[in-house]
């Protein structure tokens, strides 16, 4: 199966809806170990993306993703803005002018995005950040593809790994971002960024998966 | 939530409109993206100093735009870092060709957004420097955290580096000075009450009637520890000693290299205060504490400094880096050498800080 | 009650000690009786301007002692007028022989204590003038009340008359100017929260979560009316219109006659504002409201003034005449002619207000 | 009967005690229509008077009263400080170097004091001030003396008139002092200054009256 431009657009639309549904939830997670704005930030950003999307929906996938990245960068603020902004900028640069993506392209898209997050935020595993969802997800995806799996089942595995990674942030003590100032008090709470990252991947799967 | 605001979504814009209308002699405000800039920018031949951060800390930063201090300030939403397009557009608006120094408080959000902005500005041919302010001794280590937060020293740095720019320092000299002043400064804050972000509509944290929160930052976040309410003397002494007895602090920061066109890591160590030091003492209100109470804090602070052989040679007392209407205070001590003092004393003309002109 | 204080009985003294230690270049503090006075007083050949009143309004008045403003300030206990011995001793300390002008906010306590002081000083051979500030439009009539209270205009008067003294105006010229500036000024205040006098330990009045108090003075007293909480725009407009539409106000005041050596009654009428007037606009925080919110008020105030054909030519925005930690604001508009503007712009160097030097 | 210097001293001591006993009460009255400090103000002032009194207790009555007045002036503040201060200053000036007072001297003492209050504060009857206790009291005393009454019964009448005057302040709307800002809201409360004035006169009677 290959992923079309329309599906990418559909993904972003679904993602905007999912984030908006989870606005309170993400904000609540952020209120435990941060400043109670992650849901607000993400919703503000993706609402802007929704405004911009119609203008580029007929362009190539790289263009669509880069526009998404630029929009997030200039509307989200906070830590997550440049991180997710860079994610989409880099993923857009990685897929370039393509109008459909095979499963390796999809991997490259995600890999480049996550590399962007790492360059910008310098997270390492177990810092209790969004990277704790992405790193195992990428690894799972790579293994699944290497094992010859199709896009959807492979992506399923990645989503499962992201979910585990997300949940695994609960017992961690944060070492990056705002939550790190809480020291031991950050233990016992799920990281909001890891949660929005999981939702991002999950909604990609849901978009591609026939209902 | 009772505040002098209209619709929650309009808070920052309308406050900026008020500033623009009140201080049109000193500054202008650009909307979308939002930045406050000197009415006479770009100032020919002078390095442009730009700062920014979440709103809710007024007068910082917008109130420090003007002659002898900031050339531009980029306000984010309340307690939310600004976005890179703001700093990027501000840089283009105020760069005279002599380059732009970004003064960045060390919060992940601010750091990442300013870094992105620096890359964008550099790509446009603007020489940039990006210096972090990380002076909050309430954060003990940099290994297991995002490092010390940027708090009170920011105000002093903006004044001093602003004066340096006005005096014609080069971009690199401004950056070196900025880094040094930051390394000379240490701060500690405390809260008697929480504060309410308009968009949230309820207090960020709850604090009992007989409690106080020690080691808070400036974003209404809970602090290092919660304690039973105490006296001004005990509070001032506790904070002063945290600062004066703070050991050497080291961390690695990321700065921009204009020649390499990339980020470089710098390992920095702040030396502790010692007897014989001359300092600028800054007692700051978190917003809701009146200046009268700050004098009680200053009184004790001066005694503690004297006991430690540290001489206060200048002071600043008032609400300069605030957390909305939060009650509480912070203390900043900044070791001041002759160069720093001269720059501190230099004329400044901004809505929030003015002397010598 | 959570405040940055030590023992309740020491609040005023320790705050004064803090001021003395922070601003020794500008002022000194005399204890028992308490008064703050210019470090270089008496200033040869210059009329001495003295004000005073209850504490809890800082920076007013002690924070306005310095070059170009007050020569001395007499702080009472919190929200309690000072006693005549304070003003009397202060007058002796700062009189250069050119005479002393007492600027007195119109509260019965202040009025009577300053009058007593004026008599004592006069008996000692000091020429005195005693001018009342009564600018609070929340008080409608002077026939059935003690007359309008002295509020925001006080700050502007102290700056302007202080500059006149510095410029060498005679005692009578200072008094005439003081009276005129007071007659040109009108103010209105409001509160979002109450405040707590340390000695009382609990808030002066209770205000519901969705209520505000309109027409308050500066002593934490309840105001003219209680209303449901409203927006910054509505609050600013309501207060601005109370001021701009206020009709002529008349009353009889008592002033000192140095030749007769006795009090004389003066009948004064303040004319209403009219289109074409130039004004100094002062948006003041009651203490607990951060400056950011004041800008929202200023924004609307500027619009309302423009609509009425009244031009704001200068402004002052911040916490200058406060009621401890009370949240809320006041608006003062002062009709400004060329002489007043020139004196407003003249250099001033005090802890609370500084420019031009 | 003539009033001795020691009785005057005794009066001031008793008065200090009475005001201190009524500190809460006076403050409470002031909290209804003022700023809740009248009891505090009066107690502070008379505590200071008690400190000063031993130093002048062997001087003439004029001296004792003037010292009391100066002490009140420099320690009470508020409206009541200069008013009561002036009362004692003027009463001291009126009796001068006397060491005993006959009943006319006593009237002169009080009359001069009240005149001082009037000059300073310019109250007129029914302004809801301390004058509303003093005016009827003085009038009653004058009538009683004119009718040939002795000091004690005459003073009794004055105290009764002061009490009535004090109570009559309840239905009044204040036109002087802080309470005047309350407009109609000042109606229904007894004036604190009228109350302390009544206590002043009452404790004079109690001092002179054999128990
Ligand atoms: N250095 C970092 N690297 C990667 N992710 C980070 C880093 N710092 C913070 N984050 C992520 O950002 C999230 C917080 O985002 P958000 O609340 O929108 O921004 P802010 O913390 O500025 O309010 C955290 O939950 C964490 O996952
Ligand atoms: N102009 C006046 N003339 C006479 N008495 C007055 C006047 N103004 C106020 N008072 C008296 O003073 C009393 C209040 O005294 P106090 O509470 O000690 O002072 P303040 O009002 O300054 O707090 C009032 O109850 C009233 O009796
Ligand atoms: Mg957050
Ligand atoms: Mg945030
Ligand atoms: Mg009082
Ligand atoms: Mg009172």
């Amino acid at each position: 199966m290959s992923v079309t431009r329309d599906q990418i657009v559909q993904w972003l639309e679904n993602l905007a809806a999912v984030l908006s549904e989870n606005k309170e939830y993400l904000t609540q997670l952020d209120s435990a170990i941060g400043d109670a704005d992650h849901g607000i930030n993400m919703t503000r950003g993706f609402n802007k993306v929704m405004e911009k999307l119609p203008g580029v929906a007929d362009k190539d996938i790289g263009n669509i993703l880069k526009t998404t990245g630029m929009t997030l960068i200039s509307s989200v603020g906070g830590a997550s803005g440049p991180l997710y902004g860079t994610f989409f900028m880099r993923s857009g640069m990685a897929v370039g002018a393509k109008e459909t993506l095979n499963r390796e392209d999809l991997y490259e898209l995600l890999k480049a995005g996550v590399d962007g997050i790492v360059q910008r935020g310098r997270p390492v595993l177990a810092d209790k950040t969004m990277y704790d969802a992405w790193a195992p997800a990428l690894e799972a995806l790579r293994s699944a593809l290497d094992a010859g799996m199709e896009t959807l089942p492979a992506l399923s595995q990645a989503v499962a790994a992201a979910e585990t990674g997300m949940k695994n942030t609960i017992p961690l003590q944060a070492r990056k971002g705002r939550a790190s100032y809480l020291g031991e008090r950050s233990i016992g709470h799920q990281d909001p960024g890891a949660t929005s990252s999981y939702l991002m991947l999950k909604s990609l799967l849901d978009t591609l998966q026939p209902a | 939530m009772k505040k002098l605001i209209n619709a929650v979504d309009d808070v920052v814009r309308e406050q900026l409109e008020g500033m623009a209308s009140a201080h049109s002699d000193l500054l202008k405000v650009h909307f979308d993206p939002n930045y406050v800039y000197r009415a006479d920018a770009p100032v020919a031949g002078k390095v442009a100093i730009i700062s920014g951060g979440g709103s809710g800390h007024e007068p910082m930063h917008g109130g420090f735009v003007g002659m002898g201090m900031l050339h531009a300030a980029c306000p984010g939403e309340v307690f939310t870092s600004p976005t890179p397009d703001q700093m990027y557009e501000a840089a283009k608006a105020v760069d005279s060709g002599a380059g732009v120094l970004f003064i960045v408080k060390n919060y992940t959000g601010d750091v990442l957004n300013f870094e992105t902005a620096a890359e964008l500005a550099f790509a446009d041919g603007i020489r940039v420097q990006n210096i972090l302010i990380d002076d909050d001794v309430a954060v003990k280590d940099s290994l297991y955290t995002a490092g010390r937060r940027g708090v009170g020293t920011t105000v002093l740095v903006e004044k001093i580096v602003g004066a340096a720019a006005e005096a014609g320092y080069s971009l690199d000299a401004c950056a070196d000075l900025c880094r040094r002043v930051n390394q000379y400064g240490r701060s500690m804050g405390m809260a008697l009450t929480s504060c309410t972000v308009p968009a949230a509509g309820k207090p960020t944290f709850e604090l009992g009637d007989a409690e106080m929160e020690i080691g808070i930052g400036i974003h209404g976040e809970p602090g290092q520890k919660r304690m039973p309410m105490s006296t001004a003397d005990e509070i001032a002494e506790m904070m002063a000693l945290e600062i004066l007895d703070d050991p050497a602090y080291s961390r690695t920061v990321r700065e921009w290299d204009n020649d390499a066109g990339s980020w470089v890591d710098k390992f920095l160590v702040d030396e502790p205060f010692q007897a014989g030091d001359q300092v600028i003492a800054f007692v700051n209100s978190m917003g809701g504490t009146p200046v009268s109470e700050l004098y009680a804090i200053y009184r004790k602070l001066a005694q503690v400094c004297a006991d430690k052989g540290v001489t206060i040679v200048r002071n600043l007392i008032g609400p300069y880096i605030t957390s909305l209407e939060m009650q509480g205070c912070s203390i900043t001590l900044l070791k001041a050498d002759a160069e720093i003092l001269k720059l501190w004393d230099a004329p400044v003309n901004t809505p929030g800080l003015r002397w010598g002109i």
Side-chain angles (χ1 to χ4, degrees), chain A, chain B:
Chain A
M1 156 189 186
S2 71
V3 177
T4 65
R5 178 193 43 215
D6 287 355
Q7 283 176 310
I8 292 292
V9 170
Q10 188 60 49
W11 170 39
L12 294 170
E13 286 171 3
N14 290 347
L15 179 53
V18 164
L19 289 171
S20 159
E21 279 158 30
N22 286 280
K23 180 175 166 181
E24 297 299 331
Y25 174 55
L26 292 172
T27 297
Q28 195 187 312
L29 290 176
D30 195 28
S31 88
I33 57 170
D35 59 350
D37 64 0
H38 188 57
I40 300 169
N41 292 346
M42 296 305 289
T43 314
R44 182 174 56 241
F46 274 86
N47 283 347
K48 271 272 177 243
V49 171
M50 286 306 100
E51 286 174 24
K52 289 280 164 68
L53 209 51
V56 294
D58 57 350
K59 300 270 161 59
D60 60 56
I61 295 178
N63 195 314
I64 292 168
L65 292 174
K66 280 190 279 181
T67 302
T68 300
M70 275 308 295
T71 307
L72 292 179
I73 282 179
S74 65
S75 65
V76 176
S80 55
L83 290 168
Y84 283 129
T86 305
F87 177 97
F88 282 102
M89 294 282 285
R90 295 298 174 81
S91 60
M93 282 149 76
V95 300
K98 300 207 172 83
E99 306 224 338
T100 59
L101 309 174
N102 63 26
R103 54 191 188 165
E104 277 303 327
D105 293 335
L106 198 63
Y107 177 81
E108 283 311 318
L109 180 160
L110 295 173
K111 175 82 169 70
V114 174
D115 284 351
I117 289 176
V118 171
Q119 262 186 40
R120 185 93 284 152
R122 298 184 164 193
V124 298
L125 256 185
D127 274 354
K128 195 176 183 123
T129 71
M130 54 178 68
Y131 184 62
D132 291 332
W134 284 115
L138 266 191
E139 210 174 285
L141 184 60
R142 184 69 267 158
S143 310
L145 295 179
D146 289 348
M149 276 193 192
E150 260 310 317
T151 309
L152 283 180
L155 204 54
S156 277
Q157 302 241 336
V159 168
E163 185 169 14
T164 308
M166 166 186 89
K167 288 191 177 142
N168 284 346
T169 62
I170 297 178
L172 296 175
Q173 176 171 336
R175 289 183 305 216
K176 284 271 165 17
R178 231 171 248 293
S180 69
Y181 298 121
L182 292 179
E184 292 180 358
R185 285 196 268 168
S186 65
I187 293 172
H189 302 278
Q190 184 170 308
D191 181 61
T195 310
S196 55
S197 288
Y198 159 72
L199 292 174
M200 203 172 273
L201 207 56
K202 174 81 163 50
S203 81
L204 175 59
L205 176 64
D206 290 345
T207 306
L208 303 183
Q209 206 154 33
Chain B
M1 173 179 60
K2 289 201 286 190
K3 287 172 184 285
L4 300 171
I5 60 173
N6 295 308
V8 159
D9 288 337
D10 300 334
V11 166
V12 171
R13 185 178 50 75
E14 292 183 347
Q15 290 175 352
L16 290 172
E17 285 174 6
M19 277 203 81
S21 111
H23 307 298
S24 57
D25 50 331
L26 297 175
L27 53 83
K28 291 181 182 154
V29 178
H30 184 280
F31 292 95
D32 208 5
N34 294 352
Y35 57 90
V36 181
Y37 60 113
R38 267 177 70 162
D40 57 350
V43 185
K46 304 286 166 70
V47 172
I49 313 294
I50 300 183
S51 190
S55 292
H57 309 299
E58 290 69 24
M60 187 184 85
H61 301 273
F64 297 145
V65 171
M67 197 284 272
M69 211 160 166
L70 298 180
H71 294 248
C74 302
E77 284 302 308
V78 175
F79 291 175
T80 300
S81 65
T83 53
D85 51 322
Q86 296 177 252
M87 284 74 91
Y88 171 52
E89 293 294 335
K92 287 196 287 186
V94 302
D95 178 39
S96 69
V100 168
L101 170 65
F102 290 117
I103 299 180
V104 186
K105 298 190 301 305
N106 187 38
Y107 299 91
T108 305
D110 291 50
V111 171
L112 301 185
N113 283 287
F114 270 90
E115 284 182 2
T116 308
E119 293 172 10
L120 292 171
F122 181 80
D124 249 34
I126 299 176
R127 282 170 56 84
V128 293
Q129 286 278 5
N130 204 72
I131 303 290
L132 294 190
I133 309 301
D134 53 351
D135 61 318
D136 185 357
V137 299
V139 178
K140 288 299 164 207
D141 72 273
S142 64
L143 238 67
Y144 301 107
T145 69
R148 290 188 164 172
R149 300 171 289 207
V151 289
T153 299
T154 314
V155 175
L156 310 184
V157 164
E158 291 179 2
K159 165 67 185 85
I160 291 161
V161 177
E166 200 72 39
Y169 280 44
S170 71
L171 178 61
D172 289 345
C174 284
D176 289 344
L177 175 72
C178 188
R179 193 185 309 106
R180 177 158 62 92
V181 176
N182 173 54
Q183 290 189 259
Y184 281 177
R186 281 177 166 85
S187 302
M188 178 91 183
M190 61 82 59
L192 298 175
T193 64
S194 184
C195 60
T196 300
V197 175
K202 56 180 201 309
T204 309
F205 59 95
E206 295 292 341
L207 204 51
D209 273 354
E211 288 179 328
M212 59 182 180
E213 184 85 31
I214 302 292
I216 51 152
I218 55 169
H219 292 100
E221 63 272 48
Q224 208 180 45
K225 59 187 172 207
R226 193 156 290 197
M227 293 178 65
M229 185 58 201
S230 177
T231 63
D233 278 356
E234 280 170 16
I235 291 168
E237 178 161 23
M238 175 170 54
M239 293 205 293
L241 291 180
E242 288 268 353
I243 292 170
L244 289 164
D245 294 343
D246 186 56
Y249 171 72
S250 60
R251 74 291 197 190
T252 300
V253 298
R254 189 144 65 160
E255 293 187 8
W256 184 254
D257 183 327
N258 282 294
D259 300 324
S262 66
W263 296 100
V264 289
D265 279 347
K266 279 220 167 80
F267 180 74
L268 302 177
V269 182
D270 298 357
E271 298 304 331
F273 286 100
Q274 52 189 45
D277 280 350
Q278 296 203 316
V279 297
I280 300 174
F282 170 30
V283 178
N284 175 61
S285 162
M286 301 310 291
T289 284
V291 69
S292 50
E293 295 179 31
L294 300 183
Y295 282 114
I297 296 293
Y298 184 85
R299 173 182 169 276
K300 185 66 186 178
L301 171 64
Q303 291 167 5
V304 176
C305 284
D307 289 348
K308 289 269 173 184
V310 166
T311 311
I312 300 177
V313 290
R314 298 290 186 281
N315 62 64
L316 183 68
I317 300 170
Y320 292 102
I321 167 171
T322 59
S323 298
L324 298 168
E325 75 284 1
M326 180 184 281
Q327 289 179 15
C329 70
S330 66
I331 291 177
T332 299
L333 295 178
L334 174 71
K335 185 178 148 178
D337 54 30
E339 179 186 18
I340 289 174
L341 276 185
K342 194 176 150 207
L343 293 166
W344 177 256
D345 291 339
V348 59
N349 187 2
T350 72
L353 215 58
R354 180 171 179 182
W355 57 72
I357 178 165

